Amino acid sequence: MNSTHQPDLRLVATNRSDTAISARCGCCEARHAGLCDTLADGDLLHLAHAAHWQLISKGRVFALEGDPSRHFFNINHGAVKLCKDLPDGRRQIIGFAGPGDFVGLAADHHYSFSAEAINEVRLCSFDRVGLHLMFVRFPALEKRLAAMASSDMVVALAHMLLLGRKTSIERVASFLLGWSTKDDGRVLALPMSRTDLGDYLGMTIETVSRSLTILKNQRVIAIASDHGISIVNRRRLSDMAGAIPRRGGLSGESACRKTRN
Amino acid sequence: MNSTHQPDLRLVATNRSDTAISARCGCCEARHAGLCDTLADGDLLHLAHAAHWQLISKGRVFALEGDPSRHFFNINHGAVKLCKDLPDGRRQIIGFAGPGDFVGLAADHHYSFSAEAINEVRLCSFDRVGLHLMFVRFPALEKRLAAMASSDMVVALAHMLLLGRKTSIERVASFLLGWSTKDDGRVLALPMSRTDLGDYLGMTIETVSRSLTILKNQRVIAIASDHGISIVNRRRLSDMAGAIPRRGGLSGESACRKTRN
DNA sequence: CGCATACTTGAGCGAAATCAAGGCCTGTGG
DNA sequence: CCACAGGCCTTGATTTCGCTCAAGTATGCG
C-alpha cells in the first residue's frame, strides 16, 4: 500500500508536444503531465529517494491542512477532493484533482487545505527538497510548475465569482460545464458525492439535488445514474451558468455600472 | 498623468532583511517590495523602456478582464480593487491591492480580472517581455514572484471558504481581521465603499452595514467614520469570524466527520 | 443652500437552508 | 433466497438568513 522507490527512480520524458506534454516515471510508470517539457527526449532526472509511490484508499486524508508541506503529489489514478474545514464541521471544497493533476504545489511551508481520496487513488509523492534540487538542474521545471500554479489561480478566481455571486442553478450549471469535456451526449463521470458537490459549490446536498432535477426536467442534461450525467443542450446549460462576460464588452474607461438582477 | 520612463530606469536594492525586502525604483522612487531580494545591494537592473510610471484617477479601470496582459503593476500609493463581473452587472471583488502589492502577476496571456482604482493611485507598470529578460539575468527574481503568487493563492483559498460557507457576520469579522494590522485600538482605514465590501464578501451593502452595526453594538468594533473603524475586542472578533481550525486537530486517518451547525 | 452620493435602518419577501420522509441500491447475515 | 440495515439520493414542508424595496440620515460639493 505504500512502497518506497529504489534509489534509481527517474523521470523519463516521452512526449514533448505543446498541448500534451508528459513524462513517464521510470519506476512506477506514473505519468507526470507537464513536468519535463524542456528536457530532451531520453533525458533522465535522477530523483533518488525523492519520490515514492502510494495507493490511497477511499476516504483517506493524505495531506492535512496546517501540516508541514514536505511533499507534493501527482495524481495517477482516481479522484481527490481538496478541502478547507471550519471547526464546527462546515467544509469548503476548493477543488478536485484527477489523473495528471498536481496537488500541494502552491503551499509554501504548510498545506493550506486537506486532500482526501474520493475513491481508490494512486499517486506519486515528491519530496519538496528533492524538487528544489531538480530546479537547480532544470530551471525550466520551476517555470512550468509556476505556470501550473498560475492556471490554478485563474480557476480559483472563477470559483470565487461562483461562490460569491451565482445562484444555485448557475453554480451547478457552471460546474457541469467546467467538469465536462468537449464531447456532449457522452456520459460524464462524477466520482464525487452530492455532499462533495455541495461542499464545492457552497450549497447543501438538497439544493444540489433539486438543481440537477430542474436541469434534467428542462432537458438540459440527462441523468444516467447518480454518478453519471450527460449534457443534452450545452448552449442552454451555458446560458444558465451565468455566461462569462465577452471580451471587449465595456470600454476601459470608467466601466462597471451596476444593474443587479 | 502618464509619463514614460527614461531609458535608464533601474531598480536599486536597498534592503535585504528576510521579512521586509524592498527595492527602490531608481527613476520614480517607487518601492517595489520583494522584487530584488537576491540582488547584491547596489546591483542595478536596467529595464530600459520596460516600465513606466502612471497616475490613475479614482474609478479608473487600468486593467480589463480578458484583455491581453501585456503589463503587470506594482501599486505605489492608493488602493485598488480587483473585480470579476457577470454580464448582468453582478460583481465579485476577488481582492484589494495596496502600496507594495503586485497586480497581474498570475495572468498568463489575458487578465483574469479587472483592476480599478478605489482612490487616486500611483503605480509602476512593468512590461511582461522586459520581465522575462530580467528572469534570464536574475533567476531568483522569478522564484520570488512565484512565491508571491503562491501566497496570493493561500489568500484566495481562504476567501473561497468565506464565500462558500461563512455567515454574513463571520464574513465581515473575517475581513476586518484580515485587513487589520496588529495594533488594536488604532483607527483602521477602509478606503473602499460599502458596495466594494459587499462585492468582496459576496453580500449586499445593506447586509454589510447591518453586520457592522451589530459588531459596533456589541462593542467589538468602534466606527469612527464611514471609512475608519477600530477593533475594540480582537478576541471576540476572532471568535465571530469562524475560527481557523487549529493545527493537528484531527488524525490524518479518516477525518472529516460533519456536524453542520 | 440644494443636490448628489453614500450609508443606515426598517419592512416584507424569497431563495436556499433545515427538517423530515421516503425510495433505491448494496452488502450482509440468516 | 429473502430480510434487513445503512448509505446515498430525492422530494416535500417549513423556517430563516440575507436580499429587495423603500425611507430616512449624514456628508460633501457646486
Side-chain angles (χ1 to χ4, degrees):
Chain A
M1 169 156 278
N2 185 331
S3 113
T4 306
H5 267 316
Q6 324 304 345
D8 59 286
L9 168 72
R10 44 194 158 213
L11 290 173
V12 187
T14 55
N15 184 327
R16 294 179 64 210
S17 96
D18 215 343
T19 49
I21 296 151
S22 67
R24 192 164 47 79
C25 179
C27 192
C28 68
E29 302 297 329
R31 296 164 57 82
H32 305 297
L35 249 192
C36 302
D37 57 329
T38 56
L39 306 178
D41 289 354
D43 231 348
L44 300 183
L45 275 183
H46 283 266
L47 278 176
H49 301 294
H52 66 283
W53 164 88
Q54 275 178 299
L55 264 188
I56 308 284
S57 56
K58 177 175 171 170
R60 173 87 188 288
V61 175
F62 60 90
L64 188 65
E65 179 176 6
D67 276 0
S69 54
R70 275 188 278 273
H71 301 93
F72 71 97
F73 310 92
N74 184 233
I75 309 301
N76 196 245
H77 283 331
V80 167
K81 52 186 171 188
L82 313 174
C83 318
K84 286 179 80 76
D85 292 278
L86 288 171
D88 62 5
R90 284 176 290 175
R91 159 174 289 187
Q92 179 64 42
I93 292 181
I94 54 101
F96 296 107
D101 290 335
F102 285 88
V103 170
L105 278 180
D108 44 353
H109 290 101
H110 300 277
Y111 296 119
S112 48
F113 49 80
S114 303
E116 179 176 337
I118 289 175
N119 41 34
E120 186 85 356
V121 163
R122 194 171 75 184
L123 55 77
C124 209
S125 155
F126 291 86
D127 187 295
R128 204 166 280 277
V129 177
L131 181 71
H132 281 286
L133 295 178
M134 285 164 66
F135 284 169
V136 174
R137 216 169 132 179
F138 301 99
L141 196 58
E142 187 164 24
K143 259 190 173 51
R144 163 63 65 174
L145 293 183
M148 284 178 177
S150 170
S151 84
D152 285 351
M153 176 58 101
V154 172
V155 173
L157 297 180
H159 204 59
M160 280 194 224
L161 175 61
L162 179 148
L163 291 171
R165 289 308 188 191
K166 289 190 178 180
T167 65
S168 51
I169 292 269
E170 288 170 341
R171 292 176 196 215
V172 172
S174 299
F175 167 76
L176 292 175
L177 283 173
W179 187 261
S180 71
T181 50
K182 293 294 151 281
D183 47 306
D184 295 7
R186 275 265 154 293
V187 172
L188 195 61
L190 301 180
M192 69 292 287
S193 66
R194 296 289 187 269
T195 303
D196 292 338
L197 235 29
D199 287 339
Y200 181 58
L201 300 176
M203 47 204 270
T204 59
I205 54 172
E206 292 94 333
T207 308
V208 171
S209 183
R210 280 185 246 272
S211 302
L212 285 170
T213 302
I214 290 169
L215 290 174
K216 183 190 71 180
N217 291 342
Q218 300 199 1
R219 317 285 168 187
V220 177
I221 63 170
I223 300 183
S225 70
D226 282 357
H227 296 279
I229 70 103
S230 56
I231 295 176
V232 174
N233 189 334
R234 178 175 291 257
R235 162 68 82 188
R236 290 236 292 140
L237 189 61
S238 195
D239 290 345
M240 298 177 81
I244 284 94
R246 69 232 174 288
R247 296 232 313 90
L250 294 167
S251 93
E253 198 47 48
S254 69
C256 308
R257 186 60 42 81
K258 252 171 287 188
T259 349
R260 287 264 163 68
N261 269 11
Chain B
M1 168 158 278
N2 183 331
S3 113
T4 306
H5 268 316
Q6 325 305 344
D8 60 286
L9 168 71
R10 46 195 157 213
L11 291 174
V12 187
T14 56
N15 184 328
R16 294 180 62 211
S17 96
D18 215 343
T19 49
I21 295 150
S22 66
R24 193 165 46 79
C25 179
C27 192
C28 68
E29 302 298 327
R31 295 166 58 81
H32 305 296
L35 249 191
C36 303
D37 58 329
T38 56
L39 305 178
D41 288 357
D43 231 347
L44 301 183
L45 276 184
H46 284 267
L47 279 175
H49 301 294
H52 65 283
W53 164 88
Q54 275 178 301
L55 264 187
I56 309 284
S57 56
K58 177 175 170 169
R60 172 89 187 285
V61 176
F62 60 90
L64 188 64
E65 178 176 6
D67 276 2
S69 53
R70 275 188 278 273
H71 301 91
F72 70 97
F73 311 91
N74 184 234
I75 309 301
N76 197 244
H77 282 332
V80 167
K81 52 186 170 187
L82 313 174
C83 318
K84 286 179 79 78
D85 292 278
L86 287 170
D88 63 5
R90 283 176 291 175
R91 159 175 290 187
Q92 180 63 43
I93 292 180
I94 53 102
F96 297 108
D101 290 335
F102 284 89
V103 170
L105 278 180
D108 45 351
H109 290 101
H110 300 277
Y111 296 119
S112 49
F113 50 80
S114 303
E116 180 176 337
I118 289 175
N119 41 33
E120 185 85 356
V121 164
R122 193 170 76 183
L123 54 78
C124 209
S125 155
F126 292 86
D127 186 296
R128 204 165 279 278
V129 177
L131 180 70
H132 281 286
L133 294 178
M134 284 165 67
F135 284 167
V136 173
R137 215 169 135 178
F138 302 99
L141 196 58
E142 188 165 25
K143 258 190 177 47
R144 164 62 66 175
L145 294 182
M148 285 178 176
S150 170
S151 83
D152 285 350
M153 177 58 100
V154 173
V155 173
L157 297 180
H159 205 58
M160 281 195 224
L161 176 61
L162 180 148
L163 291 171
R165 290 308 188 190
K166 289 190 178 181
T167 65
S168 52
I169 292 269
E170 287 171 340
R171 292 177 196 214
V172 172
S174 300
F175 167 77
L176 291 175
L177 283 173
W179 187 261
S180 72
T181 51
K182 295 294 151 280
D183 48 306
D184 295 7
R186 277 263 154 293
V187 172
L188 195 61
L190 302 180
M192 69 291 288
S193 66
R194 295 289 187 269
T195 302
D196 292 338
L197 235 29
D199 288 339
Y200 181 57
L201 300 175
M203 47 204 271
T204 60
I205 54 172
E206 292 95 333
T207 308
V208 171
S209 183
R210 279 185 248 272
S211 302
L212 285 171
T213 302
I214 290 170
L215 291 174
K216 183 190 69 182
N217 291 342
Q218 300 199 0
R219 317 285 167 186
V220 177
I221 63 170
I223 301 182
S225 70
D226 283 356
H227 296 279
I229 70 105
S230 56
I231 296 177
V232 174
N233 189 334
R234 177 174 292 257
R235 162 70 81 186
R236 292 236 292 139
L237 188 61
S238 195
D239 289 345
M240 298 177 81
I244 284 94
R246 70 234 173 286
R247 296 233 312 90
L250 294 168
S251 91
E253 198 47 48
S254 69
C256 306
R257 186 60 42 82
K258 251 171 286 188
T259 349
R260 287 263 165 66
N261 266 12

